[in-house]
Amino acid sequence: MTTPISISLTVNGERVEAQVSPRINLVDFIRHQIGLTGSHVGCEHGVCGACTIRVDGAIVRGCLMLAAQADGTDVTTIEGLSDSGDAADLQAAFVARNALQCGFCTPGMLLTATEYLESGGTADRDSIREFISGNYCRCTGYQAIVDAIEQVASQRGRPSK
Amino acid sequence: MKPHDFDYVRPTELDQVFDLIERHGDDARILAGGQSLMPTLNMRLSAPALLIDINRIDALKGLSVEGDMLRIGALTRHVELEHSPEVARHAPLLTKAIRHVAHPAVRNRGTIGGSLSLADPAAELPACALALGATLVLRGRDGQRRVPANTFFVDLYETARGEKEVLEAVEVPLATSSDRFGFGELARRHGDFAMVGLAAAARMAGGTIERLRLAFFGIGNVPVLSSAADLAAGRPLDADLVEVLRGAVGETLDPTDNLQASAAMKKHLASVLVGRVLGDMME
């Protein structure tokens, strides 16, 4: 038996204190110990992007970071992003454009698209594709997802150059 | 899958790391960005008893110009390289290369020290270190030593770093107005491991090339400098030279078949990359 680690972090603005097993990764901790199941677990080796979570303002693979490493950080999940309203236009565009079918990849897609737009991304389709290249979608063929992000980039005043 | 049980420690000083390495030896692994180590743990390809998380050791952080070198701390994350004005100015090859490294969420965590220490044969940064003539700074309990990149990568996932050493920083010669850099790779999906990649650095003298380095990755067990680059010395960087190098490069490489591509295909792709990368450098 290994020694549990005490961690203290902020998740979606709320203070969380917990004891974690060292081997628990961040997304499993968020799903099973905190009970926020919007972040999904797909490949568990950093390829699919379903577990994308924001840590200290930057998206990460939730399966490639230990909960123990999140000690002292500020974590935002899809629940927090959704409640903040910061991605409301993206979510509406995803619905309007049919940018999801099963929805498994959608939380990760929204967090990635949010970082793309917040870091100055434009409506340029190639740039959008490059930025979301680390998020798999097995339903849509990506076309509709790129459409939705492109539309929001234009709405936010950042047309393709 | 989920990893085996392990213990976790997060030292804040290098001396604590050396203590832990000495005490636990092979049972311990150093955790930097974790973007390669964590997948191997999750897939149970590796099952260390202890992870030593070095992410909060300040001595391994930071970017600075020291003399004629850009010193890049081992914990510098890919995203920092991507957006650093100092890197763009003094080591523009890294700026070009870094957007090919995986995906944004991985670049937000992955570190240059981790990439160089792991020495994945298909990774971009080891090849960049070769092309740039970089020096790796290794820190042990009793001091530091400097290893040139061309002797650091020994074999598959094997480097000159000793078991009781930590990679502290990498030093890159500052780019001058006589230097030109190019980078390209061929992958099945943007951000995936390359089938073949090329990092190139040319030092010009007047209108001709004084020295060219062509560092290929994804070819064999370690990144390799192609001896075809020697043919460039004293010649202008023009379409004729590119044709010569395209024809010559295949014979200088000894690729191995892997899931990505056959050896013959890799030789072909290496030639294609020479055309594209040097073509970009001519502009």
Side-chain angles (χ1 to χ4, degrees), chain A residues 2-3 5 21-23 25 28 44-45 47 58-61 63-66 68-69 71 115 130-131 133-134 136, chain B residues 1-8 10 31 35 38-39 42 44 51 53 55-56 99 103-106 108-109 189-190:
Chain A
T2 56
T3 314
I5 306 287
S21 164
R23 73 181 187 128
N25 66 36
D28 281 340
E44 298 192 310
H45 64 283
V47 175
I59 54 169
V60 303
R61 302 288 206 221
C63 71
L64 298 188
M65 185 168 171
L66 299 170
Q69 291 184 286
D71 183 32
E115 178 155 308
E130 185 176 325
F131 206 92
S133 64
Y136 273 143
Chain B
M1 283 169 61
K2 313 295 180 191
H4 274 285
D5 253 345
F6 49 77
D7 273 309
Y8 169 90
R10 193 169 59 217
L31 173 63
Q35 301 304 288
M38 288 286 297
N42 289 354
R44 301 205 172 191
L51 282 193
D53 181 351
N55 280 278
R56 301 201 188 176
R99 54 172 279 271
H103 313 286
V106 172
N108 282 340
R109 291 292 299 167
R189 173 182 71 151
H190 182 91

Side-chain angles (χ1 to χ4, degrees), chain A residues 81-95 110 114 152 155-156:
Chain A
L81 178 67
S82 198
D83 288 349
S84 73
D86 291 346
D89 51 356
L90 259 176
Q91 288 167 311
F94 266 57
V95 172
L110 289 168
T114 297
V152 174
Q155 285 168 358
R156 291 190 189 182

Side-chain angles (χ1 to χ4, degrees), chain B residues 70-216:
Chain B
L70 177 67
R71 181 189 162 90
I72 304 172
L75 274 180
T76 304
R77 298 190 196 278
H78 301 329
V79 66
E80 296 173 70
L81 293 178
E82 192 173 352
H83 299 299
S84 159
E86 284 89 6
V87 173
R89 181 167 168 215
H90 298 302
L93 177 63
L94 295 177
T95 310
K96 283 178 198 281
I98 206 72
R99 54 172 279 271
H100 293 274
V101 179
H103 313 286
V106 172
R107 294 200 291 271
N108 282 340
R109 291 292 299 167
T111 67
I112 190 169
S115 176
L116 296 172
S117 299
L118 177 68
D120 190 292
E124 291 82 0
L125 294 177
C128 289
L130 269 188
L132 290 169
T135 301
L136 293 103
V137 183
L138 298 168
R139 170 73 66 175
R141 167 86 73 196
D142 302 320
Q144 63 176 201
R145 64 188 179 106
R146 289 177 153 71
V147 179
N150 63 7
T151 59
F152 184 75
F153 303 103
V154 177
D155 205 340
L156 191 63
Y157 299 116
E158 191 185 332
T159 70
R161 183 174 68 91
E163 285 169 12
K164 294 178 180 172
E165 288 178 316
V166 173
L167 178 61
E168 183 176 40
V170 54
E171 293 175 342
V172 177
L174 300 185
T176 70
S177 57
S178 305
D179 289 313
R180 294 197 201 167
F181 303 100
F183 187 92
E185 70 176 45
L186 294 159
R188 292 183 188 272
R189 173 182 71 151
H190 182 91
D192 280 357
F193 278 118
M195 292 183 276
V196 178
L198 170 61
R203 167 66 54 90
M204 307 300 291
T208 62
I209 295 173
E210 185 179 307
R211 187 206 62 228
L212 176 67
R213 293 197 191 105
L214 298 175
F216 286 94

Side-chain angles (χ1 to χ4, degrees), chain A residues 9-83:
Chain A
L9 65 161
T10 306
V11 179
N12 299 331
E14 288 182 31
R15 197 95 203 123
V16 174
E17 314 270 342
Q19 293 276 316
V20 295
S21 164
R23 73 181 187 128
I24 296 296
N25 66 36
L26 182 56
V27 68
D28 281 340
F29 168 72
I30 285 169
R31 288 176 57 85
H32 302 303
Q33 273 182 256
I34 302 187
L36 296 173
T37 54
S39 310
H40 294 161
V41 177
C43 71
E44 298 192 310
H45 64 283
V47 175
C48 77
C51 63
T52 305
I53 291 169
R54 200 152 70 185
V55 177
D56 289 336
I59 54 169
V60 303
R61 302 288 206 221
C63 71
L64 298 188
M65 185 168 171
L66 299 170
Q69 291 184 286
D71 183 32
T73 64
D74 180 13
V75 171
T76 306
T77 67
I78 186 62
E79 289 89 347
L81 178 67
S82 198
D83 288 349

